[in-house]
Amino acid sequence: MEEEKETCPACARHTMRSEETKKDLMVRLKRAEGQIRGIEKMVEDDLYCPDILIQVSAVTSALNSFNKVLMAEHIRGCVAEDLKEGKTESIDEFVKVVQKLMK
């Protein structure tokens, strides 16, 4: 007999993404991961600070692009569905997330 796992309500939310969207998001994350590994090597090799800073800027840009794609998917999917069902709390949640991203 399979045991039922307990999860907190906040952890129980999942989003079904298309394979194409998942692949796009994963490619973006892997690219940023590779850039971070490159930065680690640059630090280990004592490379010139401005060169490292430029690479850090590239990672920041890659993660911002990831966020833009994910945010658009969230608005088109989760938020739109919640609004159709009359769940306006999704708007408040989204506003809080945007405020955190813009710090």
Side-chain angles (χ1 to χ4, degrees), residues 32-98:
E33 181 182 33
Q35 289 172 315
I36 289 171
R37 276 198 227 99
I39 293 168
E40 289 173 343
K41 180 149 178 39
M42 292 174 83
V43 171
E44 288 171 356
D45 293 345
D46 295 320
L47 294 185
Y48 191 52
C49 296
D51 293 339
I52 296 171
L53 291 168
I54 289 169
Q55 290 307 308
V56 171
S57 177
V59 171
T60 302
S61 179
L63 290 174
N64 283 338
S65 293
F66 173 87
N67 279 345
K68 288 175 193 175
V69 171
L70 191 58
M71 208 178 332
E73 286 294 314
H74 182 62
I75 292 168
R76 288 185 189 110
C78 302
V79 175
E81 286 299 315
D82 283 354
L83 289 177
K84 286 177 190 173
E85 295 172 11
K87 300 176 187 174
T88 58
E89 59 272 2
S90 283
I91 294 171
D92 295 330
E93 176 190 55
F94 184 70
V95 168
K96 287 178 187 174
V97 169
V98 171

Side-chain angles (χ1 to χ4, degrees), residues 1-30:
M1 183 183 332
E2 205 172 297
E3 285 185 38
E4 191 173 315
K5 294 182 181 178
E6 288 186 37
T7 59
C8 71
C11 300
R13 291 192 73 175
H14 293 279
T15 301
M16 297 305 294
R17 294 179 185 89
S18 71
E19 287 303 314
E20 182 181 331
T21 299
K22 255 192 256 193
K23 183 179 177 184
D24 179 39
L25 290 171
M26 292 305 295
V27 164
R28 291 171 186 275
L29 286 175
K30 296 292 184 186

